[in-house]
Amino acid sequence: DLDSPRNGQTRGNHYHRDKTEKCYVLTGEIEVTAVDRETAEREVMTARAGDRITMDPGVAHSFRSKGYAQMLELLPDPYDAADTIPFDV
C-alpha cells in the first residue's frame, strides 16, 4: 500500500464503518496517526519494519512514510469502497 522512496508520502486520511484494517510494515518507518472521531483524541506513533498495525472500525487514520517504506495491508475480504469515508487526519 505504501511504497515510495519519497519521505513524507501519506496514505489514508479516512476511516471505515465496518472494516478492521490490519497492516504489516515490511521496510522502513511509518508515522501512524489515529484519531478517535468522537473524542477528537489523537495518537501519533512510529511503526517500524516487523510491526503490525490494527485500526478498529470508526478510527480515522493516516500513514506517512519516513523515508523509503513498504507496508502491506492484510485483507480477508474484497475491498469495499463504500466502507471508506474520507476524514482529514
Side-chain angles (χ1 to χ4, degrees):
D1 184 46
L2 190 62
D3 182 357
S4 174
R6 295 190 321 255
N7 188 28
Q9 181 179 359
T10 301
R11 293 277 193 267
N13 283 313
H14 62 251
Y15 66 93
H16 304 283
R17 279 189 270 266
D18 300 314
K19 179 174 92 170
T20 298
E21 189 161 334
K22 296 182 180 189
C23 301
Y24 181 78
V25 181
L26 297 168
T27 61
E29 293 185 346
I30 296 172
E31 181 182 274
V32 180
T33 302
V35 177
D36 182 316
R37 295 178 308 107
E38 293 182 12
T39 66
E41 183 179 345
R42 173 195 272 326
E43 183 177 358
V44 179
M45 62 202 94
T46 298
R48 295 175 177 81
D51 288 347
R52 287 180 282 173
I53 304 163
T54 300
M55 290 292 162
D56 291 326
V59 176
H61 53 276
S62 69
F63 306 105
R64 186 178 67 83
S65 63
K66 299 174 86 174
Y68 181 76
Q70 292 177 307
M71 182 173 71
L72 178 66
E73 183 176 356
L74 309 170
L75 296 170
D77 300 310
Y79 175 72
D80 179 5
D83 188 45
T84 301
I85 297 91
F87 188 92
D88 189 21
V89 174

